[in-house]
Amino acid sequence: MKKIFAGATALAAFFTTAVAFADQPRPWQWRFQEAATGIMEQIEWFERYTLWFIIPITLLVLALLGWCIFRFRASVNPVPSRTSHNTLIEVIWTVGPVVILLFLAIPSFQLLTAQYTPPEEPKLTIKATGNQWNWDYEYQVEEPLSFNSALLADDARAAAGKEDLGVFPRLLAVDNEVVVPVDTTVRVLVTAADVMHAFAMPAFGVKTDAVPGRVNEIWFKAKKEGLYYGQCSELCGKDHAYMPIAIRVVSDAQYNTWFTAAKTDLNGANKALMAAVDGNRNVAAAGN
């Protein structure tokens, strides 16, 4: 019995880890993806915080509307009031919203400041250029690495070793993922080569427009290893829906190995990295 329980615990831990350490859109999803960065955690907190104001205000307005409809309907109030001034009511509906807006504005500005203020100087800078309908990435280091990332065609899955739709979903999987090290502040310079696009990664809490002739800057610091998916979020033409973004977060050692190999053989480096990640997953599944 103890062995069965230990095996079940290890298996449960594996699946829990698989879900927690990567995220992607889910069918009928109505909440945020699981946060993978500190900024996304702050966004989730702010959303819960605002609901403490939004829900009571919505219920209050609904109740007042219902009361007015019932209390002042024509059948019971044939002669309407001609009141044009009430100092107390005017003070309440002026001061009340101002106080509420202050409670919303202060944490909102704090979050906005954090989104544009990295906690440290970014250790890695990547330029992302949106095209109709794919992304060009350039690692801006001493020896730059550049590659294109496009939607993975169904007939190319086998050759790429990406046949598992659970890990590489249809319409989200790409041929070449962006690879970054975990717990590292990454700067992303976002622009476009033709029309407006938008670089969005929900689990990281980042989203910015890609505008031709302009460079916008965002940053993230992923705290969990895994494969994360986003999409272009600006209507950019007929294939806008087929312009995914995929970022793979790995350990420092895995990133360094991948980057060194990718300079001469990107496909080989990607496959080697996938094998290393799958190997770690198999070890976790075995409970070792």
Side-chain angles (χ1 to χ4, degrees), residues 81-91 93-94:
S81 171
R82 295 183 179 275
T83 302
S84 62
H85 180 76
N86 186 302
T87 303
L88 177 61
I89 292 178
E90 291 181 4
V91 170
W93 76 37
T94 301

Side-chain angles (χ1 to χ4, degrees), residues 85-220:
H85 180 76
N86 186 302
T87 303
L88 177 61
I89 292 178
E90 291 181 4
V91 170
I92 292 174
W93 76 37
T94 301
V95 176
V98 169
V99 173
I100 293 173
L101 288 175
L102 284 175
F103 274 95
L104 293 175
I106 294 174
S108 175
F109 289 146
Q110 290 174 336
L111 174 58
L112 188 63
T113 301
Q115 288 178 310
Y116 286 95
T117 310
E120 60 189 1
E121 183 65 23
K123 297 180 180 179
L124 176 63
T125 298
I126 301 173
K127 184 179 181 181
T129 304
N131 310 298
Q132 289 180 310
W133 290 270
N134 51 69
W135 293 91
D136 287 328
Y137 296 106
E138 178 184 321
Y139 286 67
Q140 298 190 339
V141 294
E142 186 173 347
E143 297 181 15
L145 169 65
S146 301
F147 58 85
N148 180 267
S149 179
L151 179 71
L152 181 66
D154 290 339
D155 57 6
R157 284 181 172 274
K162 298 179 178 180
E163 297 176 285
D164 186 350
L165 293 177
V167 179
F168 306 100
R170 186 173 180 272
L171 302 184
L172 285 177
V174 301
D175 51 3
N176 299 308
E177 295 97 6
V178 176
V179 180
V180 299
V182 70
D183 290 325
T184 299
T185 301
V186 179
R187 177 194 290 119
V188 185
L189 305 177
V190 182
T191 187
D194 36 44
V195 300
M196 284 187 64
H197 302 277
F199 188 93
M201 184 58 61
F204 293 175
V206 297
K207 178 180 179 182
T208 191
D209 285 338
V211 184
R214 177 189 177 98
V215 177
N216 289 327
E217 180 179 326
I218 56 175
W219 68 275
F220 63 84

